[in-house]
C-alpha cells in the first residue's frame, strides 16, 4: 500500500464531521439497547413473546446482542462504501 | 534485510483470490471434521471403547494444529508479529472469535447463566457490546497505525516519553495477559481430566505442547490459521448437542428460538416449588465467599464471612459490570492486535463485524444451554425419588460436579438438596440429550480448541511485550533480527512454562483474576488508546499518569471490596472495579495533559493521518523528530 496521501484540511475536517455524525448516531443506539431496558427488566418480564420468552430476559439475551452485530455492519458498510467514497478515500491500491 | 522485514503490499484482487483459496481449504476441513465424527460414531456402535474415541479426537486436533504451525514457519518479523497483514476480514473474524472465546466462554458461560439467571446476562451483553466500541472507535485506527504491539501504539502516539510510556504499557499488557493465559491452561487441564481421564497435571502439559506447536514456529501467522480451524471445531461442537437437546425436548431443532418454552416451563415449575425466579433480575447480594475460599487455599487466615444485601434489586451492579466488560473487551491487547493483521483500515471495519457475528453464534446459544438443562433438572431430577433419578445423573455425581444429599431423609430429592457446579451444563448436555459418546468427545475437542486458541493469542502478547517492547525497543535497540526471533521464541517457551506452573495448584483465585482482567484492561488501555486516537491534546504525561492512576484505583477497589464487601459504592462488586479505574484514568489523562505542554507537532500530524483511511502511516524516521527515542522506527518498515 502506498503511504498516506496529503489531504487538505477542509476536506479532512468535513470528512471527520460526517464520520462523527454516523458514529454518534450508532453509539446512541448502542447506549439505548444496552442501558435503557435492564432497569425495567422485572416489569418487562411479565410480557411473554415468541415461544414464551419473558420480554426483559429476551431483550438482554437476544435483542441487544443482535442489534450490536447489525450496528457494526452498518458502520463498516456506510464508511467504506458511502462516506469514504464521497470524500475520495476509496482509490484502488 | 529485505527478506526478513520487507512489507508485501496486497491488492484487492490478491485479497479476493487468497480468500477464495482459504474458503476451499477450510470448507474441506469442515467436511472432514463431520465425516471423521460420523466414522467414529460408526466405530463406537461397532464397539470401539470410549477411551480410544477420546484419544482419536485429541490426537487428530493436536496433529492438525501442529501441521498448520509447521506449515507457517516464518523468518519474517511482520509475519511473526502480524501475520504479514494479509488476513482477509472474514477469516480474521473467525480467528478473533477463537482468540476471544476461551474455556470460560465455551464451558462456564452457560453454567454462569444457570446459576445467576438474568444477572448472568451482563456477561452476554458486555462481551458482545464491547465489539461495537472496538469497531467504531478502535479497530480501523489501530490498523492504520500499523505497528506490531499495543505498547508500540502507546509509545508512538505518546512519543515525547516513548520509553516510559512503552514500559508502563508493556507491564500492563503482561499483567492482563499472563493471568488470563494461566486460566486457559487450567481449563485445558480440567477438560483433559474430565473427558479423557488423564491426570490434571498431565493434561496441563499436553495442553502446553498443543499451545507451543502453533505459536513457537510461526508466531501470529500460524496462530491465525490455527485459530480459524479452532473456531470451526469449537462452534460445531457447541451447536450440535444443544440442537439435538432442543429437538428432543420441544420437537424443533432450533434451540435459540425454542428455549423460550423452556423459560416459561421453568417459571411455572419454580412457582410450584416456591423457588426464586430464574428470570428475575438483580438477585445477587455482595459477599466475600470467594475471597474466603481463595485465602484458605493459599493457606492464609480467611476474613470473616460478610454478606451485604442492601443493594439487592437495584440495577447498578448489572449496568456497571456490563460497561466494564465492554470497555475491557475493547482494551484487551490480544484482541486489539488481531486488527493489525488485516490488509487495511476498511477491512478492519468489516472484520470486527465478522468477529462479532462469529461470537454472536455462540453467545446467542449459551442461554439456551442453561435454560434447557435447568428445565431438565427441575422437571426430571428435583422432586423425584433418589432411587430413580435419570441415568445421566449417575456419571456426573461421580465427578463431583453434581452433589445430592438427602438432608431430610425422605428419599425424595428437594431443590435445596442439590448442588451443581456450573461447568456441568455444557459437559453433560450430550448425555442428557441421549447422544453417543462420540459427540461428548467432540465437545471436549471443542473446549480444548477454545482454551488453546485463546492461550496462543495471549502467549504471543506476553512474549512480544518482553521480546519486542522491552528487549528490542528499550534494552537493545540494535539487536539483529535473528537475535529478536531468538528472544521471542525463548520468551514464548518461558511464558508457557510459567503459565503451566502457575496453573498446577489449581487456585480458585485464577478464575477470579480472569474476571478482573477486563476491569484492568478497561482501567489501563481503554482511555489511553481512545483519547490517543480522538484527542490531539492528549500527551505522554497524561497517558502515563492515567495508566498508573487507573491501575491503582482499580486494584484498590477490587481488593478492598473482595475482602470486605461493606467497602462498596452503590453496591458495585469487585468485578466492576474497572469503573473506578476508568474514571481515574480519564480524569488524570485529561487534567495532566491540559496542565502540561501539548504533544509536539509531528504527533498531532500523526493523529490527522490516522483519520485518513487509505495509505500506510508516514512516521518520522528514528532520531529525526525531536524527542523520539532511538529505535522508534515504524515497526512495519523496520
Amino acid at each position: 500500500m502506498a503511504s498516506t496521501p496529503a489531504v487538505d484540511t477542509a476536506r479532512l475536517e468535513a470528512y471527520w464531521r460526517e464520520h462523527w455524525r454516523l458514529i454518534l448516531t450508532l453509539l446512541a443506539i448502542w447506549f439505548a439497547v444496552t442501558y435503557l431496558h435492564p432497569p425495567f427488566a422485572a416489569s418487562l418480564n411479565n410480557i411473554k413473546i415468541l415461544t414464551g420468552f419473558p420480554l426483559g430476559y429476551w431483550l438482554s439475551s437476544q435483542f441487544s446482542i443482535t442489534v450490536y452485530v447489525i450496528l457494526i455492519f452498518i458502520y463498516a458498510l456506510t464508511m467504506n462504501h458511502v462516506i469514504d467514497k464521497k470524500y475520495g478515500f476509496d482509490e484502488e491500491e | 534485510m529485505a527478506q526478513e522485514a520487507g512489507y508485501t503490499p496486497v491488492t484487492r484482487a490478491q485479497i479476493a483470490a487468497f480468500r477464495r483459496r482459504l474458503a476451499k481449504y477450510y470448507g474441506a476441513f469442515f467436511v472432514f471434521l463431520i465425516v471423521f465424527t460420523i466414522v467414529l460414531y460408526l466405530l463406537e456402535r461397532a464397539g470401539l471403547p470410549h477411551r480410544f474415541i477420546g484419544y482419536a479426537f485429541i490426537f487428530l486436533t493436536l496433529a492438525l494444529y501442529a501441521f498448520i504451525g509447521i506449515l507457517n514457519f516464518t523468518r519474517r518479523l511482520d509475519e511473526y508479529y502480524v501475520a504479514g497483514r494479509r488476513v482477509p476480514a472474514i477469516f480474521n473474524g473467525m480467528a478473533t472469535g477463537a482468540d476471544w472465546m476461551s474455556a470460560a466462554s465455551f464451558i462456564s458461560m452457560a453454567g454462569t447463566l444457570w446459576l445467576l439467571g438474568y444477572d448472568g446476562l451482563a456477561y452476554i451483553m458486555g462481551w458482545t457490546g464491547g465489539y461495537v466500541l472496538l469497531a467504531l472507535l478502535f479497530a480501523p485506527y489501530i490498523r492504520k497505525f500499523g505497528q506490531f504491539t499495543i505498547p508500540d501504539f502507546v509509545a508512538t502516539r505518546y512519543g515525547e516519553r516513548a520509553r516510559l510510556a512503552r514500559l508502563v504499557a508493556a507491564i500492563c499488557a503482561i499483567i492482563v495477559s499472563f493471568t488470563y493465559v494461566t486460566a486457559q491452561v487450567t481449563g485445558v487441564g480440567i477438560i483433559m481430566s474430565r473427558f479423557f481421564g488423564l491426570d490434571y497435571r498431565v493434561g496441563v502439559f499436553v495442553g502446553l505442547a498443543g499451545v507451543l506447536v502453533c505459536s513457537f514456529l510461526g508466531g501470529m501467522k500460524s496462530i491465525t490459521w490455527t485459530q480459524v480451524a479452532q473456531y470451526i471445531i469449537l462452534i460445531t461442537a457447541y451447536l450440535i448437542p444443544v440442537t439435538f437437546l432442543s429437538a428432543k425436548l420441544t420437537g424443533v431443532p432450533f434451540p435459540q428460538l425454542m428455549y423460550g418454552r423452556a423459560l416459561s416451563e421453568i417459571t411455572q415449575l419454580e412457582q410450584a416449588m416456591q423457588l426464586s425466579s430464574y428470570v428475575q433480575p438483580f438477585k445477587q447480594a455482595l459477599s466475600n465467599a470467594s475471597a474466603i475460599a481463595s485465602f484458605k487455599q493459599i493457606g492464609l487466615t480467611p476474613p470473616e464471612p460478610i454478606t451485604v444485601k442492601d443493594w439487592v434489586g437495584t440495577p447498578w451492579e448489572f449496568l456497571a459490570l456490563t460497561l466494564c466488560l465492554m470497555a475491557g473487551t475493547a482494551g484487551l491487547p490480544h484482541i486489539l492486535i488481531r486488527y493489525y493483521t488485516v490488509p487495511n483500515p476498511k477491512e478492519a471495519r468489516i472484520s470486527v463485524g465478522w468477529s462479532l457475528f462469529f461470537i454472536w453464534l455462540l453467545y446467542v446459544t449459551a442461554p439456551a444451554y442453561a435454560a434447557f438443562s435447568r428445565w431438565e433438572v427441575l422437571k426430571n431430577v428435583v422432586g423425584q425419588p433418589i432411587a430413580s433419578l435419570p441415568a445421566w445423573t449417575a456419571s456426573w455425581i461421580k465427578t463431583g460436579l453434581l452433589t445430592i444429599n438427602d438432608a431430610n431423609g425422605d428419599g425424595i430429592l428437594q431443590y435445596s438438596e442439590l448442588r451443581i457446579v456450573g461447568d456441568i451444563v455444557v459437559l453433560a448436555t450430550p448425555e442428557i440429550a441421549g447422544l453417543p459418546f462420540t459427540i461428548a468427545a467432540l465437545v471436549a475437542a471443542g473446549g480444548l480448541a477454545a482454551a488453546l486458541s485463546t492461550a496462543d493469542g495471549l502467549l504471543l502478547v506476553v512474549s512480544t511485550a518482553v521480546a519486542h517492547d522491552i528487549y528490542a525497543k528499550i534494552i537493545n535497540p540494535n539487536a539483529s533480527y535473528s537475535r529478536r526471533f531468538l528472544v521471542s521464541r525463548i520468551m514464548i517457551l518461558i511464558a508457557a512454562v510459567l503459565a503451566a506452573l502457575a496453573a498446577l495448584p489449581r487456585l480458585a483465585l485464577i478464575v477470579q483474576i480472569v474476571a478482573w482482567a477486563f476491569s484492568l484492561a478497561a482501567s489501563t488501555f481503554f482511555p489511553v488508546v481512545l483519547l490517543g486516537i480522538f484527542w490531539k491534546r492528549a500527551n505522554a504525561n497524561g497517558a502515563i499518569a492515567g495508566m498508573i492512576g487507573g491501575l491503582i484505583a482499580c486494584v484498590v477497589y477490587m481488593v478492598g471490596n473482595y475482602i470486605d464487601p461493606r467497602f462498596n459504592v452503590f453496591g458495585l462488586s469487585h468485578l466492576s472495579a474497572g469503573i473506578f479505574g476508568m474514571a481515574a484514568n480519564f480524569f488524570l489523562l485529561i487534567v495532566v495533559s491540559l496542565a502540561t505542554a501539548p504533544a509536539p507537532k509531528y504527533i498531532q500530524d500523526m493523529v490527522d493521518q490516522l483519520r485518513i483511511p487509505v495509505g500506510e502511516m508516514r512516521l518520522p524516521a528514528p532520531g529525526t523528530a525531536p524527542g523520539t527515542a532511538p529505535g522508534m522506527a515504524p515497526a512495519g518498515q523496520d
Side-chain angles (χ1 to χ4, degrees):
Chain A
M1 214 197 293
S3 65
T4 309
V7 175
D8 69 273
T9 321
R11 176 159 72 121
L12 187 56
E13 275 176 8
Y15 169 75
W16 200 239
R17 265 197 308 277
E18 192 156 344
H19 146 274
W20 268 119
R21 256 203 303 281
L22 175 70
I23 65 173
L24 287 180
T25 312
L26 297 175
L27 284 175
I29 301 173
W30 165 83
F31 181 85
V33 301
T34 307
Y35 293 103
L36 296 190
H37 61 83
F40 309 102
S43 335
L44 291 171
N45 274 343
N46 294 323
I47 304 166
K48 300 283 184 286
I49 59 155
L50 297 171
T51 53
F53 290 95
L55 182 58
Y57 193 91
W58 181 80
L59 286 173
S60 291
S61 67
Q62 298 200 336
F63 175 75
S64 296
I65 70 173
T66 309
V67 171
Y68 297 151
V69 181
I70 296 168
L71 287 178
I72 298 179
F73 277 108
I74 292 177
Y75 164 76
L77 295 174
T78 314
M79 286 302 287
N80 289 357
H81 298 290
V82 181
I83 299 184
D84 282 0
K85 230 177 221 147
K86 185 170 159 193
Y87 290 89
F89 294 134
D90 67 333
E91 55 264 51
E92 182 80 37
E93 287 97 28
Chain B
M1 285 296 160
Q3 197 254 332
E4 283 120 336
Y7 176 69
T8 334
V10 274
T11 65
R12 225 172 272 182
Q14 280 173 319
I15 299 171
F18 190 38
R19 192 171 55 219
R20 279 193 297 276
R21 208 166 73 230
L22 288 168
K24 219 181 296 171
Y25 291 153
Y26 286 108
F29 166 67
F30 176 71
V31 172
F32 172 74
L33 180 69
I34 298 294
V35 171
F36 180 79
T37 309
I38 294 172
V39 168
L40 275 183
Y41 166 65
L42 295 176
L43 287 174
E44 181 185 350
R45 290 214 356 209
L48 185 69
H50 288 179
R51 206 151 41 94
F52 291 108
I53 297 171
Y55 290 156
F57 269 101
I58 298 190
F59 287 124
L60 168 86
T61 52
L62 288 185
L64 173 80
Y65 307 149
F67 175 69
I68 299 177
I70 292 164
L71 216 57
N72 287 290
F73 174 78
T74 185
R75 283 181 195 285
R76 290 175 41 156
L77 272 184
D78 66 333
E79 291 192 337
Y80 190 83
Y81 284 132
V82 289
R85 300 194 208 280
R86 55 203 298 267
V87 183
I90 185 166
F91 289 96
N92 189 52
M94 276 191 231
T96 310
D99 204 7
W100 173 247
M101 290 184 286
S102 55
S105 289
F106 191 91
I107 300 176
S108 308
M109 183 74 173
T112 305
L113 288 166
W114 205 107
L115 297 169
L116 298 182
Y118 182 92
D119 296 345
L121 295 177
Y123 292 94
I124 298 269
M125 284 169 69
W127 283 342
T128 51
Y131 280 83
V132 177
L133 302 179
L134 193 62
L136 273 53
L137 304 173
F138 289 77
Y141 309 102
I142 289 288
R143 171 58 193 91
K144 174 74 188 200
F145 230 99
Q147 307 265 323
F148 284 165
T149 67
I150 297 309
D152 269 339
F153 174 92
V154 175
T156 312
R157 169 61 182 83
Y158 299 108
E160 315 100 282
R161 295 184 189 278
R163 280 168 176 246
L164 186 57
R166 183 185 293 277
L167 188 67
V168 174
I171 291 171
C172 291
I174 293 170
I175 295 175
V176 170
S177 302
F178 185 76
T179 49
Y180 211 149
V181 78
T182 307
Q184 298 312 313
V185 179
T186 311
V188 171
I190 290 173
I191 291 166
M192 292 292 201
S193 59
R194 274 187 197 149
F195 271 92
F196 308 116
L198 289 176
D199 184 60
Y200 171 81
R201 279 161 295 181
V202 177
V204 163
F205 281 98
V206 172
L208 194 66
V211 175
L212 284 178
V213 290
C214 27
S215 42
F216 195 67
L217 292 174
M220 192 61 156
K221 188 182 171 203
S222 57
I223 287 176
T224 302
W225 304 121
T226 317
Q227 282 174 337
V228 175
Q230 285 165 329
Y231 177 79
I232 294 171
I233 296 176
L234 82 86
I235 200 67
T236 311
Y238 202 77
L239 294 179
I240 287 179
V242 72
T243 302
F244 277 94
L245 186 60
S246 171
K248 184 189 165 198
L249 294 178
T250 68
V252 182
F254 288 106
Q256 299 85 350
L257 182 65
M258 294 313 293
Y259 81 86
R261 210 176 121 200
L263 288 178
S264 57
E265 299 271 351
I266 290 170
T267 317
Q268 285 169 19
L269 288 164
E270 281 165 342
Q271 271 167 7
M273 295 177 200
Q274 295 175 346
L275 300 171
S276 73
S277 168
Y278 178 69
V279 296
Q280 171 75 29
F282 320 134
K283 295 187 294 262
Q284 305 306 308
L286 295 173
S287 105
N288 57 354
S290 81
I292 294 172
S294 302
F295 271 66
K296 277 186 189 151
Q297 217 175 7
I298 307 172
L300 298 172
T301 324
E304 290 294 303
I306 299 163
T307 309
V308 179
K309 290 193 174 149
D310 303 355
W311 299 92
V312 171
T314 62
W316 308 122
E317 164 71 0
F318 185 92
L319 299 178
L321 181 56
T322 310
L323 185 63
C324 274
L325 297 173
M326 286 186 180
T329 301
L332 277 177
H334 73 288
I335 297 301
L336 284 172
I337 58 167
R338 286 241 48 100
Y339 298 98
Y340 278 139
T341 69
V342 292
N344 54 52
K346 291 166 194 266
E347 288 276 308
R349 292 173 183 148
I350 287 285
S351 187
V352 190
W354 284 120
S355 304
L356 185 57
F357 170 74
F358 291 122
I359 292 164
W360 174 88
L361 274 180
L362 189 141
Y363 279 24
V364 85
T365 311
Y369 264 100
F372 283 128
S373 69
R374 193 168 176 91
W375 186 17
E376 162 79 13
V377 166
L378 290 183
K379 195 169 85 175
N380 295 332
V381 179
V382 174
Q384 304 299 316
I386 287 173
S388 61
L389 292 178
W392 66 267
T393 53
S395 53
W396 294 98
I397 289 172
K398 262 184 267 166
T399 64
L401 292 185
L402 186 69
T403 322
I404 54 172
N405 169 28
D406 189 14
N408 60 1
D410 62 355
I412 305 282
L413 184 65
Q414 272 85 30
Y415 185 78
S416 59
E417 296 169 347
L418 180 78
R419 212 176 56 80
I420 279 183
V421 176
D423 293 356
I424 196 176
V425 171
V426 169
L427 298 179
T429 295
E431 264 179 89
I432 300 176
L435 293 171
F437 181 80
T438 304
I439 298 298
L442 176 67
V443 170
L448 199 60
L452 291 180
S453 56
T454 308
D456 283 336
L458 292 162
L459 269 186
L460 193 74
V461 170
V462 175
S463 72
T464 53
V466 179
H468 175 76
D469 291 310
I470 295 180
Y471 176 74
K473 292 287 185 179
I474 298 179
I475 297 177
N476 184 5
N478 300 320
S480 67
Y481 285 99
S482 54
R483 192 64 185 268
R484 291 200 207 176
F485 268 120
L486 186 68
V487 176
S488 270
R489 291 192 168 127
I490 291 174
M491 271 318 301
I492 284 207
L493 210 58
I494 293 176
V497 170
L498 286 180
L501 290 177
L504 280 184
R506 269 181 98 163
L507 296 176
L509 195 63
I510 287 166
V511 182
Q512 203 70 65
I513 296 173
V514 171
W516 291 343
F518 286 85
S519 274
L520 291 173
S523 309
T524 52
F525 291 113
F526 182 77
V528 169
V529 178
L530 183 72
L531 293 189
I533 293 169
F534 290 97
W535 193 42
K536 279 188 206 171
R537 189 66 180 77
N539 67 18
N541 297 325
I544 292 164
M547 281 192 284
I548 296 175
L551 187 66
I552 293 173
C554 177
V555 170
V556 166
Y557 189 87
M558 217 175 241
V559 174
N561 179 275
Y562 186 60
I563 293 171
D564 185 348
R566 282 171 301 190
F567 173 75
N568 73 67
V569 179
F570 277 97
L572 301 189
S573 78
H574 51 91
L575 296 173
S576 316
I579 290 286
F580 303 99
M582 224 185 329
N585 192 332
F586 273 119
F587 176 80
L588 286 170
L589 177 50
I590 292 169
V591 169
V592 175
S593 289
L594 288 177
T596 52
K601 171 102 176 39
Y602 81 96
I603 288 183
Q604 303 204 17
D605 291 345
M606 201 189 294
V607 179
D608 271 333
Q609 272 191 69
L610 265 189
R611 300 176 179 179
I612 303 170
V614 288
E616 290 294 330
M617 287 286 277
R618 285 174 277 112
L619 295 175
T624 55
T628 16
M632 275 296 302
Q637 297 153 29
D638 256 0

